[in-house]
Amino acid sequence: MLMRISDDLVPFAVVILGATMLVFIMILHGVGLDLVVSRYKRKSAEFRDEDRHPRLAVLVFARAVLLMLVLHLSEICIWGLVLRGGGLVHNLHEAVYFSANAYTTLGMGSMALSHTWHELSPMIAIAGLFTFAWTTSEMFNIVGEQHDLVAALSARRQKPTPSNHK
């Protein structure tokens, strides 16, 4: 489908497709991160309420990290589906692999988009840079909250009970 666009119009198509996808990915990422963070906070509150052991708090953190990974992998797959659906890459496996290399700015893949569409690679990379930066900022917040959670759970375990004073 995208390969049928006139070479003279491809630069405009790249900007339109890249910008549209970037905005879509950022909205998806924002919604996904909000869900991850709110789920983390809810589970963290449950751990506090249930007076769980501090060592188990790592499970709440691990789940948040795993969900962030799933979010990024989903975004890479969406880029791959667009590349495959647009006919820019001929099979889904290669499209997702190419997207992952561009999205992570790793750039180690041996394949490239056709010369007329190669400007889409930096657009994918920009989306990855934006989403990784956003994830990093949320990760800082979660790490701080994780320290608070572990400290609160540990403090409860160390408080003397009335039976200990006898």
Side-chain angles (χ1 to χ4, degrees), residues 33 37 61 64-66 68-69 132-146:
L33 273 182
V37 170
F61 181 74
V65 171
L66 181 62
M68 288 178 185
L69 172 65
F132 282 121
W134 197 350
T135 299
T136 300
S137 71
E138 289 295 345
M139 185 66 84
F140 272 104
N141 294 332
I142 288 175
V143 166
E145 290 180 27
Q146 181 70 13

Side-chain angles (χ1 to χ4, degrees), residues 13-75:
V14 167
V15 170
I16 292 168
L17 176 63
T20 301
M21 284 298 299
L22 179 98
V23 169
F24 174 75
I25 292 293
M26 293 304 293
I27 291 169
L28 175 69
H29 197 76
V31 169
L33 273 182
D34 283 347
L35 291 171
V36 170
V37 170
S38 63
R39 182 180 190 108
Y40 173 83
K41 288 180 179 181
R42 189 172 54 251
K43 284 296 190 183
S44 179
E46 286 175 18
F47 266 58
R48 279 188 173 94
D49 293 344
E50 296 169 3
D51 198 24
R52 297 280 185 100
H53 195 284
R55 289 188 189 147
L56 293 177
V58 73
L59 299 174
V60 180
F61 181 74
R63 181 189 310 202
V65 171
L66 181 62
L67 290 173
M68 288 178 185
L69 172 65
V70 169
L71 183 58
H72 282 286
L73 292 175
S74 299
E75 293 158 3

